[in-house]
Amino acid sequence: MNYQERYKEWLDSEVFDEETKTELRAIANDDKEIEDRFYKDLKFGTGGLRGVIGAGTNRMNIYTVTKATQGLANYIRSLGDEAISKGVALAYDSRNMSPEFAEATALCLNANGIKTYIFDSLRPTPELSYAVRKLNCVAGVVITASHNPPEYNGYKVYWEDGAQITPPHDKNILAHVAEVTDFDQVLKMNLADAKEQGLYNMVPDSVDEDYYNELVQQTIHSDIIPKIADDMTIVFTPLHGTGNVPVQEVLKRLGFTKVYIVPEQEQPDGDFPTVASPNPENPEGFAMALALAKKVDADIVMATDPDADRLGIYVKDTNGVFEGTELANTDDYPYVCFNANMTGALVAEYVCRERKNTGTLPANGALCSTIVSTNLAAAIAKAYDLKFIETLTGFKYIGEQIKFFDENHSYKFIYGMEESYGCLVGDYTRDKDACGAVVMLSEVAAFYKTQGKTLCDAMEEIYEKYGYYREGAHSLTLKGADGEARIKEIMNNLRSNPITEVAGLKVVALRDYKEDRRVDFESKVETATGLPRSNVLYFELDKDGWFAVRPSGTEPKIKFYFGVNEATMKDANDKLAEIKRFVVTLA
């Protein structure tokens, strides 16, 4: 069936409501729009769904959401009565249609005899991960598109360990979703009946309280906070998302008194009217927060994305540590943007060092990171005699490691981080947690403030200890069927004709995670990568440098990542600029 036939089917079928058909009739003369909406089904990837909101098979709507949910329900039912009886926890963020998609998901599960527990209002994604284990559920679903632009929404699936689905459950769920070929296979139930039968339930208020307590308990030197609270100023923005309530609550419990929330961005709003994209990676999203920071003389400025699993920060460089470098802010206030690799390393060093100093760092501790994150993470782990484990891109693989540690009684999870603005201290949840990151970074800032230092001073100390590890990234957006073909072409070219040098740095080895092989170019020895197969190419470079490329699993993008380790900040930044110029020639 071609895209025009699918379009006509939606207009003629009794399955779809009149509102959906009205939306589709409005594009009757736009063949390109019809093609984009119907040339394929919205892909259910290994984590779930993500796409533009709207009518069509390649869009996020009640029908595509419940069709995927029917596949999930079929898989849960295939596992037997115990799995069915455990139920599924559901949460949603501030995006448009999030409450509606969450309720539709719950009612579809209920129609399949599966009990659900849904939060009464928006909550952070990491709290959903926490709730899955707290409520002893078999699975969890959160409706979110994370940091994507306003027109997007998404659907992420978690399993009973609290982490996003990984093998074998991801592949099994994918198979069951694929078997739901028609929308009339989706079971439905009304809300009143679901409640009456005890299938549709609210998450108890106690889960919030327990989650907040876990966040506070991750601190190491919480006793210093009240001593410095009146002298330390924090600016925070939830970017119209879920972070507002939990962040304010935990900072209050820790004893911070000078916390300023950006008023224009405090309330939830799925249109994200003050930013082009609610992404804490983008400097433009910090414009209002930095203006407020200047006014109140803030020490640290923090922003969480809509589902509060990612955190971005700016730090006041009072002592001019980064003056004259690429990190220095060019505006008239001295705030430096820390990327996720810097933030992740800063927290890693603090947690490892202070836990060692307090005698609470276990001998079997483990630090986890992803293959496209800074190599500084491995250097820190080595310095503190921790097991270092590298995973595929995506925090779900770090969450999976925690499950393995529990099952095998092998290592104690200390910390996990990834380059896409996510980290986790402790194992109370199994996903990256921006609320937890706020807690830890606020404590770290307070710790250094007692010594007359800023987080910039702390970062410079890390560079002096380990070397100037600096990283960069470049994304190329290629939409539609033509874009998908171009992304495949780029990957095939790099795989067939591997590069041998990147910006003057020799390629010493190639890891092809799709083929599960690593080739050492000097010794010619070929070994397995040791990780699940994934469409990623990773080039190991001289001097602990690296270069990686992969297609995005959730967006129409191909992503390039790279990192270096040089003797000075200038050398590191110059080399990064060279690599970026090289990347542009590949795209």
Side-chain angles (χ1 to χ4, degrees), residues 44 118 150 218 295 304 348 432 469 504 522:
F44 191 96
I118 188 168
Q218 302 312 311
K295 188 181 300 184
T304 53
K432 55 183 179 281
Y469 284 85
E522 184 174 343

Side-chain angles (χ1 to χ4, degrees), residues 229-250:
D230 291 339
D231 297 318
M232 183 173 158
T233 303
I234 297 169
V235 164
F236 171 70
T237 173
L239 295 178
H240 305 288
T242 62
N244 183 44
V245 172
V247 165
Q248 289 203 59
E249 179 62 27
V250 294

Side-chain angles (χ1 to χ4, degrees), residues 403-468:
K403 178 185 71 173
F404 293 156
F405 298 163
D406 287 348
E407 290 175 347
N408 302 328
H409 305 288
S410 53
Y411 298 103
K412 176 63 178 175
F413 179 82
I414 303 300
Y415 181 66
M417 59 167 283
E418 64 176 4
E419 54 73 38
S420 57
Y421 284 65
C423 67
L424 175 64
V425 178
D427 59 2
Y428 61 95
T429 189
R430 302 297 163 86
D431 207 348
K432 55 183 179 281
D433 189 352
C435 302
V438 166
V439 168
M440 190 52 61
L441 280 162
S442 298
E443 179 190 341
V444 178
F447 177 88
Y448 280 98
K449 181 136 184 145
T450 62
Q451 302 174 19
K453 298 177 181 179
T454 68
L455 292 183
C456 291
D457 295 307
M459 196 70 234
E460 178 64 14
E461 288 176 5
I462 290 173
Y463 286 141
E464 289 177 352
K465 180 177 179 180
Y466 298 102
Y468 285 82

Side-chain angles (χ1 to χ4, degrees), residues 220-221 351-363 414:
I220 301 171
H221 297 299
V351 169
C352 294
R353 186 189 66 229
E354 296 309 312
R355 290 199 64 177
K356 181 178 181 180
N357 289 343
T358 57
T360 58
L361 188 67
I414 303 300

Side-chain angles (χ1 to χ4, degrees), residues 458-492:
M459 196 70 234
E460 178 64 14
E461 288 176 5
I462 290 173
Y463 286 141
E464 289 177 352
K465 180 177 179 180
Y466 298 102
Y468 285 82
Y469 284 85
R470 298 283 289 145
E471 296 75 33
H474 179 75
S475 293
L476 181 65
T477 299
L478 296 164
K479 295 183 178 180
D482 292 343
E484 193 172 334
R486 176 59 183 147
I487 289 172
K488 288 180 181 178
E489 182 183 9
I490 293 171
M491 292 300 295
N492 288 338

Side-chain angles (χ1 to χ4, degrees), residues 140-395:
V141 174
V142 61
I143 306 298
T144 178
S146 189
H147 58 291
N148 283 74
E151 63 268 26
Y152 282 83
N153 211 327
Y155 176 109
K156 290 200 294 188
V157 182
Y158 292 72
W159 205 242
E160 60 187 345
D161 62 320
Q164 291 183 55
I165 49 174
T166 53
H169 302 296
D170 54 354
K171 298 295 190 291
N172 292 340
I173 292 172
L174 277 169
H176 280 79
V177 169
E179 290 172 358
V180 184
T181 55
D182 296 313
F183 290 96
D184 58 8
Q185 292 176 255
V186 177
L187 300 185
K188 300 176 182 178
M189 190 175 200
N190 67 58
L191 181 60
D193 288 345
K195 286 183 175 179
E196 184 179 341
Q197 294 178 32
L199 293 167
Y200 187 100
N201 303 277
M202 308 311 295
V203 173
D205 293 340
S206 60
V207 171
D208 286 333
E209 182 62 24
D210 293 339
Y211 173 65
Y212 294 155
N213 286 337
E214 291 284 0
L215 292 174
V216 171
Q217 288 171 19
Q218 302 312 311
T219 58
I220 301 171
H221 297 299
S222 59
D223 57 306
I224 67 172
I225 295 171
K227 300 173 185 176
I228 200 73
D230 291 339
D231 297 318
M232 183 173 158
T233 303
I234 297 169
V235 164
F236 171 70
T237 173
L239 295 178
H240 305 288
T242 62
N244 183 44
V245 172
V247 165
Q248 289 203 59
E249 179 62 27
V250 294
L251 289 178
K252 179 182 177 182
R253 293 187 184 197
L254 287 170
F256 289 104
T257 56
K258 298 175 70 175
V259 178
Y260 294 85
I261 312 301
V262 177
E264 301 91 340
Q265 297 174 331
E266 183 173 6
Q267 296 306 313
D269 190 329
D271 292 327
F272 309 110
T274 64
V275 291
S277 179
N279 188 347
E281 296 182 49
N282 297 340
E284 64 88 17
F286 275 88
M288 290 182 171
L290 287 171
L292 178 58
K294 179 183 177 183
K295 188 181 300 184
V296 301
D297 192 27
D299 295 279
I300 184 170
V301 187
M302 297 183 279
T304 53
D305 67 341
D307 68 324
D309 63 353
R310 297 173 186 234
L311 176 72
I313 71 167
Y314 274 73
V315 178
K316 185 170 67 175
D317 189 9
T318 308
N319 300 327
V321 174
F322 293 123
E323 186 177 344
T325 74
E326 189 177 282
L327 284 174
N329 198 294
T330 56
D331 294 328
D332 60 344
Y333 37 87
Y335 289 98
V336 173
C337 177
F338 276 25
N339 64 33
N341 285 309
M342 296 171 70
T343 303
L346 183 68
V347 175
E349 175 71 7
Y350 177 82
V351 169
C352 294
R353 186 189 66 229
E354 296 309 312
R355 290 199 64 177
K356 181 178 181 180
N357 289 343
T358 57
T360 58
L361 188 67
N364 65 337
L367 192 155
C368 302
S369 186
T370 69
I371 58 175
V372 296
S373 301
T374 178
N375 284 352
L376 180 51
I380 292 171
K382 182 179 180 181
Y384 292 98
D385 296 321
L386 297 175
K387 174 69 174 178
F388 179 71
I389 296 176
E390 200 170 42
T391 73
L392 290 177
T393 307
F395 212 89

